[in-house]
Amino acid sequence: MDINDLIIDDRQRGIFRVHRSSMTSMDLFRRERELIFEKCWIYVGHESEVENPGDYRRRTLAGRPLFLARGEDGKVRVFLNSCPHRGALVCRRAAGNASILRCFYHGWSFNTKGDLIAVPGEDAYGPGFDRGELGLKEPARVDSYRGFYFVSFNPLVEDLVTYLAGARDYLDLVVDQAESGMRVVSGSNRYTIKANWKLLVENSLDSYHLLTTHRTYVDYITGLGTDDSRATMAARPPGLARALGNGHCVGENIARHGRPIAHWHPLFGEETREPIERARVRLVKKYGEERARRMADTSRNLLVYPNLLVLDFVAITIRYIEPLAPGAMDVTAWHLVPREESGALLATRLDSYLTFFGPGGFATPDDVEALESCQEGFRASGNEWSDLSRGMLNPAPGTSDELQMRGFWRQWHANMQGRGRTNVQDGEPEERKTAAVSVSDIQGNAPAGER
């Protein structure tokens, strides 16, 4: 099928459909690697994961082995995990601390700045041998924003701040919740899904499936005797869906069950009430009532295009998607918390994370089953299109209206056609500034998004 015909985007009739070959074709998967993952900024890790000099963490990005490390000079760097000598992995463990990085194959050794500092039998080499040319290699571009590190294999990529566009404000809403900065809790949740990576992008932004796919979670919350019922949840305000430019998208909702940062709920226990109330006072004093209300009283599911999700919901989850094949992906999730949190408040946040997002939680197994079911269903011949038209003609699109998924798909389609970014007519106007968003917008008074 021609690349130009993979998406139907009919604004007049309110029809948006995606051809399912985009989730099954190996040719399109290879094209994604070339035109998206080799061109865009890709998330590699958080600064807190390499807290001390010598700390390192292995990663795989778009099939490439890398690692990030903090040097003895305190600077965080990212290296290709391949010895310049014969190509063996330099870092073979998932994480660790070392002042010298030594390749196990022939013993070439590097410092934490990537310099080649020792070569066994170096006197056997000729006068043209230059250690300076044989240090560890870095990706073409490395940069960070508020502690989130990204790399790009494209030397001509635009600067990271420009690339992040409207997603910056939503990252700020996460980071600014903390008094002393954020940290990633040790450990991760890693799993494989036998489905196309773009299905998890959709799923992570989608509020429409909550009451059906996660009915067990709704029943659990209702059974705790809180002031919410299934009917109340079904009638909740529609929230706010936005396309943020460059494929980044977000859904933002009023929090119904409290948030550990600064919105107390009986679910958290009486012992957490005082520290949560103190945190709210601090946020109001520092950022003002309106911004503090957005941090404390709303949850948000943010996509940083193409494959990073920051889910600031019952807890803060960093979710990275590594595409493996048209029908397979690896997923790694980390839990992000304020550095200053401890005791009952931290325990409450960790429990909230595991209860919903954990490997045995209420949400993750449901979503894995749903996505693998979709991938299996794609084998049915004669049913070639997936529909994402919900709310397309709604002048105030909510988080169940699929605008945020359409924003992702429009950017994906532009990239697959060889275009760098969507034009204004391809999605929500980029001049809609996130700073203008208020809690009343999120409650259902959002300005028009697609018309």
Side-chain angles (χ1 to χ4, degrees):
M1 189 173 191
D2 189 278
I3 293 290
N4 298 319
D5 299 327
L6 289 171
I7 286 180
I8 297 171
D9 191 357
D10 188 333
R11 305 302 177 85
Q12 296 289 60
R13 294 192 303 141
I15 298 296
F16 192 98
R17 290 178 183 148
V18 176
H19 198 269
R20 290 176 176 173
S21 63
S22 61
M23 266 80 77
T24 60
S25 166
M26 179 56 76
D27 287 341
L28 290 177
F29 179 80
R30 294 191 185 102
R31 192 175 178 91
E32 287 176 342
R33 281 280 175 92
E34 175 188 353
L35 296 177
I36 298 176
F37 291 92
E38 296 289 329
K39 301 292 186 181
C40 294
W41 286 98
I42 308 294
Y43 177 71
V44 65
H46 191 265
E47 63 180 3
S48 64
E49 296 181 85
V50 286
E51 195 79 64
N52 303 305
D55 285 353
Y56 64 85
R57 298 274 178 170
R58 278 182 56 178
R59 294 288 188 262
T60 301
L61 274 65
R64 299 192 188 199
L66 300 93
F67 66 95
L68 67 161
R70 189 176 293 272
E72 298 297 328
D73 57 358
K75 182 178 178 180
V76 176
R77 297 175 175 84
V78 181
F79 299 108
L80 304 180
N81 195 3
S82 177
C83 182
H85 180 217
R86 298 287 184 85
L89 296 176
V90 175
C91 287
R92 302 174 67 207
R93 297 173 56 194
N97 181 281
S99 58
I100 297 175
L101 302 165
R102 181 174 292 109
C103 176
F104 83 105
Y105 192 11
H106 294 95
W108 283 32
S109 299
F110 308 85
N111 64 21
T112 54
K113 295 181 181 180
D115 303 320
L116 178 61
I117 58 173
V119 176
E122 187 174 353
D123 56 356
Y125 290 90
F129 183 81
D130 183 357
R131 285 191 195 175
E133 297 176 350
L134 294 168
L136 295 174
K137 304 303 180 185
E138 301 181 60
R141 299 284 297 278
V142 179
D143 205 349
S144 67
Y145 183 78
R146 303 300 304 273
F148 294 84
Y149 272 80
F150 295 80
V151 305
S152 179
F153 304 113
N154 174 17
L156 302 179
V157 70
E158 62 192 328
D159 67 273
L160 179 62
V161 168
T162 300
Y163 176 78
L164 289 174
R168 297 195 307 272
D169 185 61
Y170 286 89
L171 290 174
D172 291 341
L173 282 171
V174 171
V175 177
D176 288 343
Q177 294 172 26
E179 189 171 9
S180 306
M182 288 284 185
R183 67 179 177 90
V184 170
V185 174
S186 180
S188 62
N189 178 16
R190 301 183 62 188
Y191 52 101
T192 298
I193 305 178
K194 296 177 182 177
N196 187 270
W197 68 277
K198 298 183 291 297
L199 292 178
L200 184 56
V201 171
E202 289 184 1
N203 170 269
S204 300
L205 296 170
D206 176 13
S207 293
Y208 188 29
H209 74 284
L210 174 64
L211 293 176
T212 50
T213 307
H214 302 314
R215 179 174 177 176
T216 303
Y217 177 72
V218 176
D219 289 343
Y220 165 73
I221 294 296
T222 304
L224 292 176
T226 69
D227 56 357
D228 291 295
S229 66
R230 186 179 298 109
T232 302
M233 293 185 72
R236 71 193 188 282
L240 174 70
R242 303 194 74 242
L244 303 172
N246 293 347
H248 317 309
C249 303
V250 72
E252 195 166 2
N253 288 290
I254 296 294
R256 306 303 296 178
H257 299 291
R259 282 166 49 72
I261 181 63
H263 182 159
W264 185 80
H265 190 279
L267 282 173
F268 300 154
E270 196 63 36
E271 68 275 17
T272 65
R273 183 197 288 265
E274 184 180 349
I276 286 178
E277 289 177 349
R278 284 201 310 269
R280 189 180 189 97
V281 170
R282 175 181 61 81
L283 291 177
V284 171
K285 183 177 180 180
K286 187 170 184 179
Y287 298 107
E289 183 66 38
E290 181 58 38
R291 189 165 180 83
R293 287 175 64 199
R294 280 188 73 199
M295 287 188 213
D297 299 342
T298 68
S299 62
R300 64 209 109 253
N301 287 16
L302 170 69
L303 166 70
V304 178
Y305 184 90
N307 61 334
L308 170 66
L309 284 307
V310 180
L311 311 177
D312 186 7
F313 181 40
V314 293
I316 305 173
T317 301
I318 300 173
R319 178 183 287 171
Y320 172 80
I321 308 170
E322 172 68 12
L324 301 177
M329 70 182 106
D330 276 345
V331 184
T332 307
W334 300 269
H335 188 26
L336 190 70
V337 303
R339 287 180 181 273
E340 65 270 14
E341 269 190 6
S342 61
L345 195 54
L346 179 59
T348 295
R349 187 185 291 270
L350 294 173
D351 181 69
S352 297
Y353 172 80
L354 290 172
T355 298
F356 194 76
F357 289 117
F362 282 103
T364 299
D366 289 343
D367 291 331
V368 171
E369 172 67 17
L371 302 191
E372 291 186 345
S373 177
C374 289
Q375 195 72 31
E376 185 174 356
F378 292 158
R379 295 189 299 168
S381 59
N383 191 4
E384 298 181 2
W385 297 91
S386 290
D387 189 272
L388 291 93
S389 303
R390 181 178 168 88
M392 195 167 174
L393 300 182
N394 185 349
T399 52
S400 293
D401 282 333
E402 301 178 336
L403 177 148
Q404 59 273 47
M405 284 83 87
R406 292 190 288 271
F408 163 77
W409 277 109
R410 287 176 178 132
Q411 181 64 53
W412 177 89
H413 199 210
N415 288 152
M416 296 293 278
Q417 292 171 314
R419 292 189 285 135
R421 67 169 71 186
T422 52
N423 298 320
V424 169
Q425 65 266 27
D426 292 326
E428 213 177 31
E430 293 184 25
E431 62 268 19
R432 265 185 59 190
K433 302 297 184 184
T434 58
V437 174
S438 67
V439 173
S440 62
D441 290 332
I442 299 162
Q443 288 173 322
N445 299 316
E450 290 184 280
R451 300 175 70 185

